[in-house]
Amino acid sequence: MKSEELLATATRLGPVHLRVVDIPAALPVWRDAVGLAVLGQDDATAELGVGGKPLIVLHAGASTPLPQKSRDLFHVAVHVTTRKELARVAARLRASGFRHSAQDHLISESLYVSDPSGNGIEICFDTPERLASRAETADGGVSLIATDGTAHSGLEPLDVDGLLRELDSADRFEPPLAADAFIGHIHMRARSPETLMAFYLGVLGFRPHIQSRSFGLFDCGTDQRRHMVAFNIWARDDLREPPPRAAGLQHFTVVLPSGEDLAAVAQRLSHANLPIKQTGRALDLADPEGNRLRIMATDN
């Protein structure tokens, strides 16, 4: 692919819009445990974010939670920029009593929780400096080699007690997330990841990262952030279509750095004969499995 057909390095993810059964029931997770501030709310929507910047928009009206192993959202990842900030979230989750988990991916440390509508949430702190190399194993798995030479699966449990030692007695964990938190990636369950990658790589212009059917993960991003949009096939034959009006992904946002970048993407979509709706500096469309996305341009 020619460089002019690739998304700009400064491409990032913007707000993620999710359907929920009940907004008030979702807020204790998104606001109190994750730590997002409510920026605006009415009967139909709640906009949450950090420092006045929207990250998540909840839309009421779903009639049922998203069942596990449904083709749709796996999780949306809110990334924090310090380990102490991750520790604050861990402390809030522990105090909340919500069911949650934690994993050490070597390239990141992550906390996981779901809202009452079944929308998966990851809170992630990137640690790429711990990774020396990555290779597929003979059984189709992935082996990550740390800088100290030890091998990791990337799926080890995170030492949460050790993480919480980032906080001292003077640290409070109630304040909301720091203003530099951001949407780092979005992860969906998929039926045909190769078809999806043909769209995200060949049409939109993302760069490939992991493309492994044996491992069950396909993802893509930019040179700056390699893991931005991901799809897994871990449910295999148990994967089901979500029921009508289920909770889940309404759409996610891809933010391009300029109008010129947006025009180039619009031209590639047109050449591929894909239906789009353009409103000003935004394109609304769906990927081959029906996941909705909005592509926007900003010159800021």
Side-chain angles (χ1 to χ4, degrees), residues 18 30 66 73-77 112-115 118-122:
L18 302 173
W30 289 101
L66 182 67
L73 181 73
F74 187 60
H75 62 240
V76 55
Y112 296 93
V113 66
S114 293
D115 71 17
N119 294 309
I121 308 163
E122 177 182 359

Side-chain angles (χ1 to χ4, degrees), residues 125-166:
F125 173 58
D126 294 317
T127 58
E129 70 281 355
R130 294 194 294 157
L131 176 68
S133 64
R134 184 187 77 235
E136 284 201 24
T137 60
D139 62 358
V142 173
S143 177
L144 303 177
I145 306 302
T147 51
D148 64 4
T150 57
H152 296 259
S153 69
L155 301 173
E156 286 86 5
L158 178 63
D159 178 6
V160 177
D161 289 334
L163 173 64
L164 291 173
R165 286 195 285 273
E166 293 283 334

Side-chain angles (χ1 to χ4, degrees), residues 131 134 184-185 201 206-211 218-230:
L131 176 68
R134 184 187 77 235
H185 69 271
L201 304 179
F206 282 101
R207 294 179 183 270
H209 184 215
I210 298 171
Q211 310 286 292
F218 293 69
D219 70 346
C220 57
T222 67
D223 282 343
Q224 182 171 301
R225 177 160 293 277
R226 301 178 69 188
H227 179 71
M228 291 178 68
V229 182

